Amino acid sequence: LQPGSRWTLVPDPGTPTTAAWRVHHLEQGDPAAPTVVLLHGYAGHAGLWQELSDELAHAGWRTLAPDLPGHGLSDKPRQPALHSLPWHQAMLQTWLERQNLPTGWLLVTLDQAALLVPGDLPPSRVLALESGEAPIAWPDDPILASSDHTTGRAAAQDWRLRCQRSPRFDLPQHWALDDQPALEVLCQACYPDPGHRGALRWPLFAGQPPSADDFDWWQHHGRRLPVQPLEPAPVKLPQPGARIRAALRHNTPQILQWLEQHRAARSAS
């Protein structure tokens, strides 16, 4: 357990009366404060937001950072076929409804988590961040239909593709968590065997071409959002995950500025 650990029991969208999954999140800040929900990207977990959450709590915000199903300390459905866009969107929607969020809550997403944003949430209340190490791949993006996307030099360098295909992909090494021993142990414990990596084998969340079902769902229910690229940190780091973490730290002032603009507008109204 971590400070601020909470669990929510979320009914399975396919069999809501007979099955449910535990979704873990980290909560920080005054419960009465303005609230922001932080969604990690592919192969991530709530702990990757910890430094930003500390800054936000200090600035008077309440943060909720969930481990998306199949990640972190949340339950991990083993059947790869269960991991789909409608299933994950429905899970997130129900989880959000059960948090009793105050009016005007905000959402910050990282990388592929932008695909899961509820359709009824105004885009103005969403800050979709994109890392150069894991660019957002929208399901209807023409590049996903290109054969060059899954072959050739560029794909060979895409850590998400390697993680999706390799049950031994070293996540603690990828995120360079040796500077945070507690997070390193946690990350290792979250995936004790390949069976717990069902969500990591979901092609769409790994930035790969979607299945026919995911593509059809996106055509009828999906939407693109304005994306804010993260400015790379000036330090040179060897691992893609380490560069993502450094970029989040480097862009914290800009994220805080966006949130404060919303808080000021809400106070004025």
Side-chain angles (χ1 to χ4, degrees):
L1 297 180
Q2 303 174 80
S5 280
R6 306 283 188 272
W7 271 268
T8 304
L9 199 62
V10 180
D12 187 289
T15 54
T17 60
T18 59
W21 302 94
R22 294 168 299 182
V23 177
H24 170 261
H25 75 271
L26 293 176
E27 188 169 335
Q28 194 167 344
D30 186 343
T35 299
V36 56
V37 176
L38 307 170
L39 296 186
H40 65 78
Y42 176 73
H45 54 84
L48 298 175
W49 293 107
Q50 190 58 56
E51 291 165 300
L52 176 61
S53 293
D54 291 341
E55 293 284 345
L56 293 177
H58 182 71
W61 290 86
R62 172 190 177 219
T63 64
L64 279 73
D67 288 323
L68 295 172
H71 294 76
L73 294 179
S74 291
D75 279 343
K76 297 174 178 61
R78 290 170 175 252
Q79 307 91 334
L82 186 61
H83 295 283
S84 65
L85 189 53
W87 189 86
H88 276 276
Q89 285 182 332
M91 287 287 293
L92 178 61
Q93 180 70 55
T94 303
W95 179 84
L96 288 167
E97 291 170 355
R98 298 195 168 198
Q99 304 313 308
N100 297 316
L101 298 173
T103 302
W105 62 275
L106 302 173
L107 182 66
V108 176
T109 73
L110 180 63
D111 303 330
Q112 291 296 97
L115 301 178
L116 309 181
V117 173
D120 60 350
L121 189 64
S124 61
R125 286 168 48 194
V126 181
L127 178 61
L129 302 173
E130 178 184 62
S131 165
E133 306 299 329
I136 297 175
W138 303 104
D140 57 353
D141 194 324
I143 194 174
L144 290 187
S146 169
S147 60
D148 292 337
H149 185 74
T150 54
T151 61
R153 182 178 179 185
Q157 296 174 341
D158 190 333
W159 66 269
R160 295 180 297 182
L161 180 60
R162 288 184 281 120
C163 181
Q164 181 203 359
R165 293 180 174 178
S166 172
R168 297 188 178 183
F169 186 86
D170 193 331
L171 285 169
Q173 182 186 52
H174 161 75
W175 293 112
L177 297 177
D178 52 326
D179 63 334
Q180 298 189 40
L183 276 183
E184 183 175 18
V185 172
L186 174 66
C187 195
Q188 290 171 333
C190 287
Y191 301 96
D193 62 61
H196 287 87
R197 294 191 174 219
L200 305 189
R201 294 197 293 273
W202 178 23
L204 181 58
F205 210 53
Q208 305 305 311
S211 67
D213 289 341
D214 275 351
F215 183 79
D216 183 67
W217 178 268
W218 177 261
Q219 290 290 88
H220 290 87
H221 305 280
R223 59 172 176 165
R224 292 189 179 218
L225 296 168
V227 175
Q228 176 64 46
L230 288 171
E231 180 180 331
V235 296
K236 292 185 177 181
L237 297 166
Q239 297 293 343
R243 294 193 288 271
I244 293 174
R245 291 176 56 210
L248 284 174
R249 288 194 298 269
H250 182 65
N251 288 266
T252 292
Q254 287 72 29
I255 298 172
L256 278 169
Q257 182 181 24
W258 180 81
L259 293 170
E260 291 301 332
Q261 287 173 348
H262 277 270
R263 179 152 62 179
R266 182 179 176 185
S267 299
S269 63

